[in-house]
Amino acid sequence: MNYFELFDFPTSYHVDTATLAERYRELQRAVHPDKFASDTEQQKLLSVQRAAQINDGFQTLKDPIRRAEHMLALQGIDLSHETTTLKDTGFLMQQMEWREALEDISHADDPDEMIQDLYDSFDQYRAGINRQLVDLLASNQESDGLLAADQVRKLKFMAKLQDELARAEDALLD
């Protein structure tokens, strides 16, 4: 299913999340199971299935990583169950630096500053990836799709690091 079509959006990495939320509410009102309470069991089931599709579409389009994965899937590149590793040595080195910094937080003189520096570093790196993804995902070239897939892999890794950083920050507050 093409969620961009479902929500009547152009297929683009940039999505207006306010408009997305508005369309989500409209679609949900149109297929809400309560509207079909007096219909056949088949109609009720279809309503529930359609509501589930709308929920899944909303969750996919509002999240940049899932949105990019969906765009790639529409191009025939499925990242959902893969185990491909990145070969970008620059990113691998950056990843090692981030991991070391994460491990050093608990021993730092000013852990709050270190945490903020990591958040800033993640944001800056992610912004660069997002700028590249806009063009790569808009292209119909297979080679650009494969490059976009690598950028999405980086974003997925960074999301895991961001979660680890949030846990480290929470641990300091306890």
Side-chain angles (χ1 to χ4, degrees):
M1 160 155 283
N2 184 331
Y3 294 132
F4 292 98
E5 288 176 0
L6 176 65
F7 282 84
D8 196 27
F9 270 64
T11 303
S12 170
Y13 185 59
H14 288 299
V15 168
D16 179 347
T17 54
T19 304
L20 176 66
E22 183 179 310
R23 289 202 182 138
Y24 169 74
R25 287 187 296 275
E26 290 169 5
L27 289 169
Q28 282 295 4
R29 276 192 298 273
V31 301
H32 196 279
D34 289 348
K35 290 182 84 169
F36 301 92
S38 61
D39 285 359
T40 67
E41 289 302 314
Q42 183 178 4
Q43 278 301 112
K44 291 177 190 176
L45 180 60
L46 285 172
S47 169
V48 169
Q49 289 173 339
R50 191 72 170 154
Q53 285 177 328
I54 292 166
N55 283 336
D56 192 40
F58 178 69
Q59 295 303 319
T60 297
L61 294 183
K62 80 174 188 175
D63 178 80
I65 294 173
R66 290 182 62 184
R67 184 181 328 125
E69 285 182 305
H70 181 62
M71 290 178 73
L72 288 169
L74 292 173
Q75 295 177 24
I77 302 170
D78 186 9
L79 299 179
S80 59
H81 301 292
E82 71 163 24
T83 57
T84 304
T85 57
L86 288 167
K87 295 172 181 70
D88 180 340
T89 55
F91 181 73
L92 295 174
M93 294 301 291
Q94 179 63 64
Q95 166 184 333
M96 287 172 40
E97 288 177 26
W98 284 328
R99 285 227 172 267
E100 289 171 6
L102 272 169
E103 291 173 11
D104 292 343
I105 287 173
S106 61
H107 310 295
D109 292 334
D110 188 352
D112 291 332
E113 181 180 348
M114 195 169 193
I115 288 169
Q116 188 57 53
D117 288 347
L118 276 170
Y119 277 124
D120 291 345
S121 178
F122 292 169
D123 288 345
Q124 183 179 13
Y125 204 94
R126 189 174 19 258
I129 290 173
N130 284 327
R131 282 191 299 275
Q132 291 176 7
L133 272 175
V134 170
D135 295 330
L136 291 171
L137 289 169
S139 170
N140 290 325
Q141 300 293 319
E142 184 179 347
S143 60
D144 286 343
L146 296 175
L147 290 172
D150 278 344
Q151 299 307 316
V152 172
R153 288 181 192 101
K154 290 177 186 178
L155 286 176
K156 289 174 84 168
F157 176 80
M158 292 182 71
K160 289 178 188 173
L161 273 180
Q162 184 107 15
D163 289 344
E164 288 179 38
L165 179 57
R167 283 193 299 275
E169 184 177 26
D170 289 345
L172 286 174
L173 297 174
D174 289 342

